[in-house]
Amino acid sequence: ERIWTHQDPDYLPPEIDTSKPSIARVYDAFLGGKDNFAVDRAIAMEGMKHFPDGGGGARNNRAMLFRGVKFMTEQGIDQFLDVGSGLPTMDNTHSVAQRINPDARVVYVDNDPIVLAHARALLQTNDKTRVITADMREPEAIFHHPKVEGFLDFSRPIGLLLVAVVHHLGDDERPAELVDTYKARLAPGSYLQLTHFCSCAPEVRALEGVLLSMLGTGRARDLEEITRFFDGLELVEPGVVHLPEWRPEEPVERPLDLAGICIAGG
Ligand code: SAM
């Protein structure tokens, strides 16, 4: 099997189509990463015409992801299911969790094969972290995936991450019911970390328009709708908020700017 590594920069696995944009690569372009192609950058550039600090929004999201993983690990969570994990970048769920608990196990799930290609190279020497290609809309296939079953113990608490991924589902795909299916599979004491593109300013609506028309996905929902994804769970303080307000480790500059309000979560 040929593995795509950074030592072999020209090799592209055949399943990677560089003529069509990919959510993971567009997000990487917003983050200022290098794992994207012209077709992805065109969308990020168009989006930034309407929302110049789209990169700031993505970075706030990554920062909150890490604060959440750190928090969950400190609460004793030692296994994570990170669905819609995206391309590995500067820091990642497993590195944050394993810095605190080297035995923490992480499964990354993404439906974009480019994530598997990159993560496999990154994780060759990490036997506590796995990556699978699967669709979040098929949770049973994820729970029973041969690389998940026996690796994550669903009879014990799990940290489930649905970070910046549920906004890629249309209302017709019944996202709340899907999130409920995941919640129902988790043992008591588990955590859900979920963030979502938040429709709180005209500029966010404009960015949403670009994403929907050029990428075909990326819906903003309001704070109330996002909060409802947590129905039936006890909310960790301060609840579902714009991301810089979620347990900040540094002083927060208020009022929040657009990059601060464009994504909410808990
Ligand atoms: N969770 C990471 C973060 O917040 O930094 C990455 C977020 S990125 C905006 C969304 C990711 O979800 C992409 O990598 C995309 O490929 C993945 N994704 C979108 N729809 C998906 C689906 N139906 N099943 C699995 N992954 C999906």
Side-chain angles (χ1 to χ4, degrees), residues 15 22-23 39 42 45 47 65 73 87 91 103 117 122 135 140 147 149 157 164 166 178 187 189 197 219 223 253:
E15 66 273 22
S22 122
I23 299 171
V39 68
M45 272 150 55
L65 191 164
T73 312
L87 282 161
D91 215 352
D103 290 327
L122 180 78
D135 196 306
E140 293 303 325
K147 284 192 158 178
E149 250 178 350
V166 174
L178 181 70
F197 198 27
R219 282 155 197 83
L223 209 48
E253 267 187 49

Side-chain angles (χ1 to χ4, degrees), residues 19-34:
S19 70
K20 293 199 192 85
S22 122
I23 299 171
R25 297 185 325 230
V26 171
Y27 181 65
D28 181 69
F30 272 112
L31 279 169
K34 59 178 175 21

Side-chain angles (χ1 to χ4, degrees), residues 7 29 33 36 38 43 69 74 79-80 90 96 113 120 124 129 131 134 173 179 182 197 201 234 236-237:
Q7 285 78 48
N36 50 71
I43 297 179
V69 171
E74 286 167 353
Q79 38 178 7
F80 294 88
M90 307 257 280
V96 175
R120 209 165 27 190
Q124 272 180 97
T129 308
V131 54
E173 293 175 292
V179 174
Y182 282 95
F197 198 27
E234 191 184 323
V236 168
E237 282 297 320

Side-chain angles (χ1 to χ4, degrees), residues 22-25 27 31 58 61-62 65 82-87 109-112 115 134-137 142 161-165 167-169 173 195 217:
S22 122
I23 299 171
R25 297 185 325 230
Y27 181 65
L31 279 169
N61 182 63
R62 290 299 289 181
L65 191 164
D82 185 347
V83 179
S85 54
L87 282 161
V109 182
D110 206 287
N111 66 344
D112 188 332
V115 171
D135 196 306
M136 72 167 150
R137 291 165 292 191
I142 295 175
L161 285 84
L162 293 173
V163 177
V165 65
H167 52 223
H168 294 300
L169 298 174
E173 293 175 292
T195 73
T217 172

Side-chain angles (χ1 to χ4, degrees), residues 52-75:
D53 198 12
R59 284 191 298 277
N60 280 333
N61 182 63
R62 290 299 289 181
M64 190 274 192
L65 191 164
F66 300 143
R67 293 199 300 281
V69 171
K70 188 171 162 220
F71 174 84
M72 290 187 272
T73 312
E74 286 167 353
Q75 306 308 304

Side-chain angles (χ1 to χ4, degrees), residues 104-230:
R105 292 182 172 207
V106 176
V107 174
Y108 290 117
V109 182
D110 206 287
N111 66 344
D112 188 332
I114 199 166
V115 171
L116 180 69
H118 274 274
R120 209 165 27 190
L122 180 78
L123 298 172
Q124 272 180 97
T125 55
N126 188 321
D127 62 359
K128 299 276 192 300
T129 308
R130 294 184 174 181
V131 54
I132 65 169
T133 300
D135 196 306
M136 72 167 150
R137 291 165 292 191
E138 292 167 11
E140 293 303 325
I142 295 175
F143 303 145
H144 299 296
H145 191 285
K147 284 192 158 178
V148 176
E149 250 178 350
F151 183 71
L152 297 185
D153 178 356
F154 282 87
S155 71
R156 293 199 304 111
I158 284 183
L160 169 67
L161 285 84
L162 293 173
V163 177
V165 65
V166 174
H167 52 223
H168 294 300
L169 298 174
D171 290 339
D172 55 325
E173 293 175 292
R174 300 176 179 272
E177 278 174 38
L178 181 70
V179 174
D180 284 347
T181 306
Y182 282 95
K183 290 188 303 205
R185 189 71 182 86
L186 300 180
S190 295
Y191 286 85
L192 164 67
Q193 182 177 7
L194 183 149
T195 73
H196 196 294
F197 198 27
C198 186
S199 58
C200 42
E203 292 87 343
V204 181
R205 282 290 186 201
L207 176 59
E208 177 189 34
V210 171
L211 294 176
L212 288 176
S213 67
M214 292 180 77
L215 187 59
T217 172
R219 282 155 197 83
R221 295 188 170 96
D222 65 27
L223 209 48
E224 228 172 87
E225 287 174 288
I226 299 169
T227 305
R228 278 206 294 273
F229 290 122
F230 294 87

